[in-house]
Amino acid sequence: MSQTPETQQAKAAFIASKVGLGFWIYLMTDLVLFASLFATFAVLRNNTFGGPGGPQIFNLPYVLVETIILLTSSFTAGLVTISVSRANKRLALVFLAITFVLGLSFVAMELSEFSHLIHDGNSWTRSGFLTAFFTLVGTHGLHISIGLLWMLVMGYRIFKKGLTVNTIRQVTLLSMFWHFLDIVWIFIFSIVYMIGVL
Amino acid sequence: MFGRLTLGAFVHDPITEITIIATMLLALVGVIFLFKFKLIGWLWKNWFTSLDPKKIGVMYLCVAALMLLRGLADALLIRAQQATSVGASHGIVNADTFQQIFSSHGTMMIFFVAMGALFGIINMILPMQVGSRDVAFPLLNSISFWLFFGGVALINMSIIVGSFSNAGWLAYPPLSELAFNPGVGVDYWIWSLEIAGIGSLLTGINFIVTILKMRAPGMTLMKMPIFVWSVLCSMSLVTFAFPILTATLTMLALDRTIGTHFFTAGFGGDAMMYINLIWAWGHPEVYILILPAFGVFSEIVPVFSGKRLFGYKSMVVALVAITILSFTVWLHHFFTMGAGADVNAFFGIMTMIISIPTGVKVFNWLFTMYRGRIRLTTPMMWFLGFIVTFTIGGVAGVLMAVPAIDFEVHNSLFLVAHFHTMIIGGVVFGIFAGFTYWFPKFTGFTLNERLGRYAFWLWITGFCLAFIPLYILGLLGATRRLDHYVDAGWQGFFVIAAIGAVIICAGVGMQMLQIVVSIVQRKQNLVIDGDPWNGRTLEWSTVAPPPEYNYAIVPEVTERDEFWVMKKKGLQKKTNIVYEAIDVPKNSSFGIFIAVFASLFAFAVIWHIVWLVIVALIITILIIIFMLTRDREDDTISAKEVEEIELAAEKNRLYA
């Protein structure tokens, strides 16, 4: 049947409002997941079982660089949203690519930190503290990786289809997801690393 | 190639082997039957891939009913063992099998029967009650169901390939750790619940958005039917509690699979952390189950008392209060942990406080009945059974909220009796009441009242016989999960409990008979106008069974019991209605495929089949990407078709 542009627009807006609310609730559930992991870390952080503790293994300047990279990527993710709202497809793709590269470098740095730890015999099997550390930070890294995969798909879709109602809606969700992970990282940086080196 | 999966996994003791072969043969006959009569295509098209929440609800109920029979068989075995295993006799099964049986009983009943049946009822009723044509995310709903089904399939598969968990229904470490439990049973348990749990989480999000965004125009929050409120609260709990379950199970899985030390006995692990985390999910979980049951009763009591619900606002406040407080009481499950007097006192007091809003609800129901014109139908009998048993169980609960008393009865049969009183008397009776109450809405005929009454009396008699002895045994010092005891003085109580369990089974048999007889004699119990009970809420305003789109004209709501008010004003036959075309979501098989590959992934992890883990994971991700990037598809029922359906229904209403 033929739909007038107005009803189509109203329908799209309704879908966007449903999906937006649903996604917000999903983010809150993810936050509870992280809260459980933070609580676990708080319980296990002194259970080093003779192995190294935070001060021995954390390299604060290195993690600070990671943090700055991730915060910058959040900024560029914001620029993607702005470009989309100005209907500038090329600029959106450029900023999406920059965000992707920054996110990828963050994951690479994290993996390098992990591999050094494992290489030194300080893997998750070493102690309760390291178990909690790897799981909390690793879960964040896994989320970032999912975000990167999402960016690839998103970029391809924007490239192919342009800025349609669907892609614009998904860019909004993606940037919400990305900012959310940023906030979680701030807590990881403060609670795990900064308090950890004390 | 196949990890730790060897032919040995298929070898069991003879009794289990015979059961498995018999089950497989039965399944084979079923499959041949489906193909022979070309039913499989019909099922696939009309049921499996359907996104209609009413049909998804029916599928939930069918799975839950099957699992109820399994859980009931486990219960009978537990009772038979404990009735016979005294002194020199060691009962009918060995200790290891007994452990598997009670683990299976708890897991089945909570995760797959209670949750499944409630999700079923919510799916069928909720969209209609809020005056909506659908849920917010129909495809997500189908995915949720199939993930739930994936969990069911996995946990049942554990009996055939491998073994069932023997670590109890919550798999406390260190017993559930690799060092003490090297088999696959606990892994099956973990991954089955992970998959079903993610399904539940998605359902939670889906229904919250449905309630907040899809209500009929005019239905403000305080005009929602009380069942909708109860679901909103319950689903909020789902979204806040299930992530904790996911995190906890993942930690246990990591401990068992890659050698982390969350809950291990050595290396700085902390087993009590698991107990805290699992109950931080587990206590809200019992309210996830009971709140919708409260909602069901709050719908039934006003209808069969011919009065509006007493204290609607206080009911809502009580629901919300329970929702919030349910996160502050988890430690009462293990006062014996040794957290100290202050901590125990806090959680003890919170536990007593949470009984206050629950008590408010009990009084509201009673005041609703007071001076009402009560019709003693089967749903109402389930309610009366509930109010008695639930109050007794609640009092036992408040008793145990006193830490000093809890130290005496901790892990005893007194506790087992308490939570069965709450779950059977509360949740299960609620499900039965709701099932009987809403059955005619979806089939067009009511259930046989006489057989329903018989079933109720069998259930309530069996229930009392099965659980009152357990209270006494608990006080005498019998702990839970005993496969053998020496005190011959206990045996009499255990025998009475076993008789009670058999009577409950007779009750279930009576319910099955009731359904069959009702279907055979449906002509006598036809529901002509779709409103057999003189209902008050919107779902009764449609024909029975309702069309796929629920409402041809979306109702405008002005009052709380909207349909009641409409009837009071006099139903005006609307003429010259202009029907509009209605979009309904196209059938989709994404749910099935995602669940199949997610379950395959879990199976591979359980058996350490590395290549299959990778393949299944990649396929699952690809399916999800494909699903999310395709364009939305809807079927459109044209205005003319809607008109034809509505006119045909109108005709039935007049001439049936």
Side-chain angles (χ1 to χ4, degrees):
Chain A
M1 74 171 214
S2 60
Q3 281 180 320
T4 59
E6 288 84 47
T7 58
Q8 253 171 355
Q9 220 166 24
K11 207 176 152 190
F14 184 55
I15 291 173
S17 91
K18 278 193 303 188
V19 174
L21 178 63
F23 199 76
W24 263 111
I25 300 173
Y26 153 71
L27 287 182
M28 294 306 104
T29 67
D30 224 9
L31 199 61
V32 178
L33 184 96
F34 276 111
S36 316
L37 293 174
F38 272 112
T40 309
F41 180 82
V43 172
L44 296 182
R45 62 182 287 256
N46 293 321
N47 296 8
T48 51
F49 202 67
Q56 284 88 50
I57 56 167
F58 293 153
N59 179 354
L60 214 47
Y62 184 85
V63 185
L64 187 65
V65 174
E66 270 187 87
T67 309
I68 292 169
I69 288 176
L70 197 64
L71 292 184
T72 315
S73 82
S74 218
F75 175 66
T76 54
L79 293 179
V80 175
T81 328
I82 292 176
S83 323
V84 165
S85 68
R86 293 189 179 171
N88 192 335
K89 176 179 157 185
R90 253 190 45 184
L91 213 53
L93 281 173
V94 169
F95 283 126
L96 195 65
I98 296 174
T99 315
F100 179 81
V101 171
L102 288 171
L104 198 64
S105 354
F106 172 84
V107 173
M109 284 185 79
E110 189 166 273
L111 286 178
S112 144
E113 186 198 4
F114 280 7
S115 80
H116 275 111
L117 283 173
I118 294 169
H119 190 257
D120 296 342
N122 296 325
S123 79
W124 52 81
T125 54
R126 181 70 190 82
S127 69
F129 159 67
L130 282 164
T131 286
F133 165 76
F134 272 102
T135 311
L136 174 55
V137 178
T139 305
H140 179 266
L142 187 68
H143 277 76
I144 292 280
S145 310
I146 293 169
L148 291 176
L149 184 64
W150 189 354
M151 278 180 205
L152 278 182
V153 178
M154 201 68 251
Y156 175 77
R157 289 197 74 202
I158 295 180
F159 181 73
K160 272 284 195 201
K161 299 206 168 175
L163 298 171
T164 64
V165 181
N166 281 337
T167 50
I168 291 172
R169 191 177 67 228
Q170 290 186 356
V171 165
T172 319
L173 300 184
L174 176 57
S175 90
M176 270 162 71
F177 185 65
W178 203 251
H179 295 315
F180 162 76
L181 291 179
D182 230 39
I183 294 169
V184 173
W185 179 258
I186 300 284
F187 281 97
I188 291 181
F189 183 61
S190 336
I191 293 176
V192 177
Y193 289 101
M194 280 173 49
I195 298 180
V197 294
L198 289 180
Chain B
M1 182 68 187
F2 291 110
R4 30 176 194 164
L5 180 60
T6 56
L7 280 179
F10 296 89
V11 180
H12 305 278
D13 61 283
I15 299 176
T16 320
E17 208 67 80
I18 291 167
T19 321
I20 291 170
I21 291 169
T23 318
M24 299 289 251
L25 280 178
L26 211 65
L28 194 67
V29 171
V31 169
I32 291 172
F33 178 80
L34 287 182
F35 276 96
K36 177 111 195 210
F37 294 94
K38 302 219 166 68
L39 281 173
I40 192 77
W42 175 80
L43 276 176
W44 180 268
K45 210 165 144 250
N46 287 297
W47 292 90
F48 294 167
T49 60
S50 172
L51 302 190
D52 182 354
K54 295 184 284 295
K55 287 184 175 172
I56 290 176
V58 172
M59 291 195 286
Y60 267 116
L61 286 180
C62 291
V63 176
L66 275 178
M67 291 303 107
L68 174 71
L69 296 183
R70 237 210 88 174
L72 210 59
D74 291 331
L76 281 179
L77 284 171
I78 295 172
R79 284 284 134 257
Q81 170 74 6
Q82 293 193 326
T84 53
S85 180
V86 60
S89 158
H90 277 80
I92 53 167
V93 291
N94 60 32
D96 184 55
T97 312
F98 186 70
Q99 287 176 323
Q100 293 190 26
I101 292 171
F102 68 64
S103 304
S104 159
H105 172 73
T107 310
M108 287 298 158
M109 288 302 200
I110 295 289
F111 291 98
F112 300 117
V113 178
M115 289 292 273
L118 284 174
F119 282 152
I121 290 181
I122 294 170
N123 259 297
M124 294 166 81
I125 302 304
L126 188 107
M128 298 190 72
Q129 276 206 331
V130 297
S132 166
R133 286 174 182 158
D134 209 335
V135 295
F137 310 114
L139 179 54
L140 193 69
N141 200 21
S142 161
I143 295 172
S144 294
F145 168 74
W146 286 107
L147 287 175
F148 169 80
F149 187 79
V152 170
L154 264 183
I155 201 125
N156 283 296
M157 193 193 258
S158 73
I159 300 168
I160 302 167
V161 191
S163 63
F164 203 93
S165 165
N166 56 5
W169 79 280
L170 280 184
Y172 279 12
L175 177 62
S176 56
E177 285 286 353
L178 203 59
F180 305 99
N181 220 324
V184 290
V186 177
D187 295 302
Y188 266 115
W189 181 86
I190 292 171
W191 286 101
S192 154
L193 297 194
E194 283 271 34
I195 289 183
I198 290 168
S200 306
L201 186 61
L202 297 176
T203 306
I205 297 175
N206 205 342
F207 281 118
I208 293 180
V209 178
T210 305
I211 295 172
L212 294 182
K213 291 276 180 189
M214 309 276 285
R215 297 194 308 277
M219 186 184 279
T220 57
L221 286 177
M222 291 310 274
K223 283 180 189 156
M224 296 196 306
I226 196 83
F227 178 71
V228 178
W229 263 109
S230 75
V231 173
L232 182 62
C233 291
S234 167
M235 293 300 126
S236 311
L237 285 177
V238 167
T239 52
F240 280 101
F242 269 76
I244 309 178
L245 179 72
T246 308
T248 314
L249 292 176
T250 309
M251 289 182 216
L252 187 60
L254 290 174
D255 268 10
R256 294 179 56 85
T257 318
I258 65 165
T260 54
H261 296 290
F262 283 109
F263 315 121
T264 51
F267 289 92
D270 190 339
M272 281 322 288
M273 196 170 62
Y274 180 91
I275 319 288
N276 273 282
L277 285 169
I278 202 84
W279 283 112
W281 158 80
H283 200 85
E285 164 71 9
V286 302
Y287 285 99
I288 290 168
L289 297 177
I290 198 71
L291 291 183
F294 286 170
V296 169
F297 288 127
S298 306
E299 293 293 333
I300 286 170
V301 175
V303 166
F304 293 108
S305 302
K307 281 173 66 187
R308 66 186 291 175
L309 184 68
F310 182 89
Y312 175 92
K313 275 185 192 156
S314 62
M315 281 298 214
V316 172
V317 173
L319 280 170
V320 176
I322 293 173
T323 305
I324 295 165
L325 288 173
S326 70
F327 275 104
T328 61
V329 296
W330 79 87
L331 197 123
H332 71 209
H333 295 270
F334 45 94
F335 280 136
T336 51
M337 174 171 78
D342 292 344
V343 175
N344 280 358
F346 171 80
F347 281 97
I349 292 167
M350 291 318 282
T351 308
M352 294 176 205
I353 289 178
I354 204 171
S355 66
I356 296 173
T358 317
V360 166
K361 301 185 78 68
V362 170
F363 282 112
N364 278 344
W365 289 314
L366 295 180
F367 282 130
T368 307
M369 287 168 66
Y370 179 65
R371 294 201 157 175
R373 193 162 294 165
I374 297 169
R375 285 174 286 159
L376 215 53
T377 51
T378 335
M380 201 59 186
M381 296 186 78
W382 287 116
F383 166 74
L384 292 173
F386 151 81
I387 206 98
V388 175
T389 51
F390 194 80
T391 307
I392 294 171
V395 171
V398 175
L399 193 67
M400 284 191 292
V402 181
I405 296 178
D406 183 75
F407 270 62
E408 289 300 314
V409 290
H410 180 80
N411 253 359
S412 73
L413 286 178
F414 189 84
L415 165 83
V416 173
H418 159 69
F419 70 70
H420 278 88
T421 318
M422 302 313 261
I423 300 229
I424 295 181
V427 181
V428 177
F429 285 10
I431 291 167
F432 292 157
F435 180 77
T436 323
Y437 176 60
W438 278 304
F439 184 87
K441 184 80 256 170
F442 296 94
T443 55
F445 54 93
T446 51
L447 282 170
N448 187 305
E449 276 285 318
R450 175 188 291 269
L451 292 175
R453 277 201 300 276
Y454 291 167
F456 167 77
W457 283 114
L458 284 170
W459 258 97
I460 194 98
T461 316
F463 170 80
C464 291
L465 285 177
F467 293 104
I468 291 172
L470 295 199
Y471 278 113
I472 302 168
L473 278 167
L475 293 176
L476 290 176
T479 53
R480 67 198 295 199
R481 298 172 175 174
L482 285 176
D483 65 294
H484 181 254
Y485 51 92
V486 284
D487 187 345
W490 291 356
Q491 198 182 15
F493 292 113
F494 277 119
V495 170
I496 296 174
I499 294 170
V502 172
I503 296 178
I504 290 179
C505 282
V508 174
M510 192 60 76
Q511 285 172 306
M512 282 157 48
L513 186 69
Q514 181 196 21
I515 293 174
V516 173
V517 169
S518 305
I519 292 173
V520 172
Q521 304 179 339
R522 63 186 175 279
K523 290 256 160 63
Q524 301 166 18
N525 298 317
L526 278 185
V527 173
I528 292 158
D529 53 359
D531 179 24
W533 313 115
N534 201 2
R536 309 175 73 85
T537 39
L538 277 177
E539 78 271 24
W540 299 109
S541 69
T542 70
V543 287
E548 184 179 358
Y549 47 78
N550 293 350
Y551 300 99
I553 307 289
V554 174
E556 296 252 354
V557 178
T558 53
E559 293 286 334
R560 210 170 277 157
D561 297 336
E562 173 66 22
F563 184 51
W564 184 257
V565 175
M566 274 158 64
K567 283 192 284 193
K568 280 274 127 74
K569 282 184 194 156
L571 286 173
Q572 286 149 1
K573 190 107 298 198
K574 280 188 190 146
T575 44
N576 301 328
I577 306 168
V578 184
Y579 291 103
E580 54 175 35
I582 297 170
D583 287 338
V584 290
K586 238 192 184 107
N587 281 9
S588 166
S589 49
F590 278 113
I592 297 178
F593 286 114
I594 288 174
V596 165
F597 285 101
S599 307
L600 201 62
F601 166 76
F603 182 79
V605 174
I606 292 165
W607 290 100
H608 300 177
I609 309 172
V610 180
W611 64 269
L612 190 58
V613 172
I614 298 166
V615 171
L617 187 64
I618 290 176
I619 296 179
T620 313
I621 293 172
L622 286 179
I623 296 175
I624 293 173
I625 291 177
F626 181 64
M627 179 185 81
L628 291 175
T629 52
R630 90 210 190 293
D631 289 318
R632 280 174 57 90
E633 285 176 83
D634 280 336
D635 273 340
T636 304
I637 304 179
S638 71
K640 196 156 173 283
E641 285 171 285
V642 172
E643 189 170 359
E644 276 163 16
I645 295 172
E646 290 296 309
L647 287 181
E650 204 56 44
K651 234 182 190 163
N652 275 339
R653 211 186 271 229
L654 291 174
Y655 300 113

